[in-house]
Amino acid sequence: MTAMLEVSVWRGREEGAFVSYAVPARRSQTVLDVITHIQRRLDASLSYRFACRVGMCGSCAMTVNGKPQWTCRAPVSEVAPSGKLTIQPLRNLKVIKDLSVDMTTFFDKWARAGGAFKPALGRPTAGVGGDFAAVKPASRARRAADAAIECIGCGVCYAACDVAAWNRDYLGPAALNRAWSLVNDVRDGARRERLAAIAGDAGCYACHSQQGCTEHCPKHLNPTASIAGLKRASAWAWLTGKP
Amino acid sequence: MNAGASKSRAETGLWLAQRLAAGVLAVAVVVHLGVIITAIQGGLSAAEIIGRLRGNTAWFAFYLVFAAAAAIHAPIGLRTILGEMTPLPPRLIGLLMAGFGLLLALMGWQAIYGLYAFRPLE
């Protein structure tokens, strides 16, 4: 007889309840496979979100056994060796239905943190005519930008962050991490505005360096270090009067 | 300068002030604890404390700076906690904390001055 997993899934919106499902255990099964099994075989009304299934798109993040994580690259054998799974939507975001959350606030905050690249006029900038910017791969700024750049926007860090839970306006680890990669982009021309945007009472200084973001980031990025970098950069700009 | 930018400047200034005050406190607390630990060997008396601090400008200056650092550091931290944990409006928290900081400084300085300029009752 096939071994079964005991899966408890959140159904509803902010108000709702857990519903239990029995799902056959398979070899090399991911948490996303489990949810897909429920949706295709047991209850077609279950809502959840995924796209690439290979850890690139950042759309399948959920709370699994209390921890925010991507589900496509979360093997059941590692996440729940006991065979018991509790699956909830991500924390700190409005639930649309079941396991799908509304990411609008999350991405609006990226925009508010100056997450868009603004080419510096008159400086060689890739794609804006003229020469390509020559950025030395070993330069300090390039390495700092590199360390923060692989974010897939899954929202795991935002769900792991207690400050985001306490302060609804807090920009959050992902948006601040994005701002830090742009602060280190020598082709960018919006440093002053960006530093002003991230230094408000809901910006980098609100971070308590608890490192929940860093602990849970599936890409092993370190948003806490990025936020510390922003604190240093904006404090330095404050002291010297230069952006 | 728009409201957002001046708010950012204020937050940055407060953050820096709290970090600098923390730097002062790190040294001051170690000195303070060191003195306490050495001073209580063989008992502690009011006369001994007054003997050390009365008229001593170096200790007077040290504790003035120590109290000022505490009065800067504590209200900024408490402001964050109140902002996160209570529904009080930010402006009210700011006012309350400015008052709290001032109170801490005045109480600290008054105690230090009392010991520095101590005159026994005739």
Side-chain angles (χ1 to χ4, degrees):
Chain A
M1 203 181 108
T2 323
M4 300 300 268
L5 301 169
E6 256 182 80
V7 190
S8 194
V9 179
W10 180 258
R11 303 301 309 269
R13 305 181 66 170
E14 302 298 329
E15 300 286 316
F18 285 101
V19 175
S20 290
Y21 301 93
V23 176
R26 308 261 185 235
R27 264 185 62 219
S28 308
Q29 190 177 24
T30 65
V31 176
L32 185 63
D33 293 335
V34 170
I35 298 160
T36 302
H37 179 92
I38 296 172
Q39 204 267 343
R40 302 228 170 131
R41 305 284 174 86
L42 305 175
D43 187 346
S45 70
L46 176 68
S47 297
Y48 69 113
R49 193 187 280 134
F50 75 96
C52 77
R53 298 170 296 155
V54 289
M56 288 168 69
C57 73
S59 50
C60 71
M62 299 166 202
T63 308
V64 183
N65 287 0
K67 289 184 182 170
Q69 51 195 288
W70 56 12
T71 54
C72 66
R73 298 187 70 182
V76 173
S77 56
E78 280 176 28
V79 179
S82 68
K84 281 189 188 174
L85 282 161
T86 303
I87 306 171
Q88 293 164 267
L90 285 181
R91 194 171 72 126
N92 298 336
L93 292 161
K94 217 171 94 193
V95 181
I96 299 172
K97 181 174 173 285
D98 305 335
L99 302 171
S100 297
V101 290
D102 185 350
M103 302 290 282
T104 310
T105 334
F106 178 74
F107 287 114
D108 280 353
K109 287 179 176 181
W110 280 50
R112 226 186 300 157
F117 170 66
K118 292 201 179 145
L121 294 175
R123 229 182 282 170
T125 303
V128 193
D131 293 338
F132 281 94
V135 182
K136 285 202 172 71
S139 68
R140 201 175 154 183
R142 183 68 182 101
R143 278 186 283 133
D146 247 359
I149 214 162
E150 290 294 337
C151 175
I152 55 172
C154 64
V156 162
C157 58
Y158 192 81
C161 178
D162 280 338
V163 179
W166 295 326
N167 181 349
R168 276 194 322 169
D169 295 327
Y170 179 50
L171 292 170
L176 292 169
N177 181 71
R178 168 66 183 157
W180 176 238
S181 68
L182 288 175
V183 162
N184 287 298
D185 190 332
V186 293
R187 304 164 306 155
D188 187 83
R191 188 184 175 89
R192 186 188 293 270
E193 297 138 56
R194 191 169 293 110
L195 286 180
I198 54 86
D201 54 0
C204 61
Y205 298 119
C207 169
H208 292 304
S209 311
Q210 281 173 280
Q211 306 186 52
C213 51
T214 304
E215 174 72 24
H216 292 93
C217 175
K219 299 292 289 181
H220 305 294
L221 304 184
N222 189 345
T224 312
S226 297
I227 296 169
L230 288 176
K231 289 175 181 173
R232 283 196 305 275
S234 59
W236 191 244
W238 191 94
L239 286 170
T240 58
K242 283 186 226 148
Chain B
M1 189 183 286
N2 63 35
S6 66
K7 207 172 178 184
S8 297
R9 283 192 64 76
E11 289 298 322
T12 308
L14 284 174
W15 182 81
L16 263 175
Q18 199 192 25
R19 288 305 179 281
L20 292 174
V24 173
L25 286 173
V27 177
V29 168
V30 169
V31 172
H32 181 63
L33 288 176
V35 171
I36 291 175
I37 291 164
T38 10
I40 56 159
Q41 309 298 323
L44 181 71
S45 69
E48 193 193 325
I49 295 171
I50 291 164
R52 185 169 54 248
L53 296 176
R54 184 177 174 191
N56 188 320
T57 317
W59 278 124
F60 180 61
F62 170 77
Y63 278 109
L64 279 186
V65 174
F66 190 173
I72 291 168
H73 187 81
I76 301 174
L78 204 53
R79 170 178 173 271
T80 305
I81 296 171
L82 289 175
E84 281 171 4
M85 300 295 166
T86 70
L88 296 175
R91 187 174 286 270
L92 176 66
I93 294 175
L95 282 173
L96 284 174
M97 289 307 101
F100 177 59
L102 204 62
L103 186 73
L104 277 184
L106 290 176
M107 283 167 61
W109 288 339
Q110 192 229 12
I112 298 154
Y113 183 75
L115 286 164
Y116 176 71
F118 181 76
R119 296 272 174 280
L121 292 171
E122 294 304 328

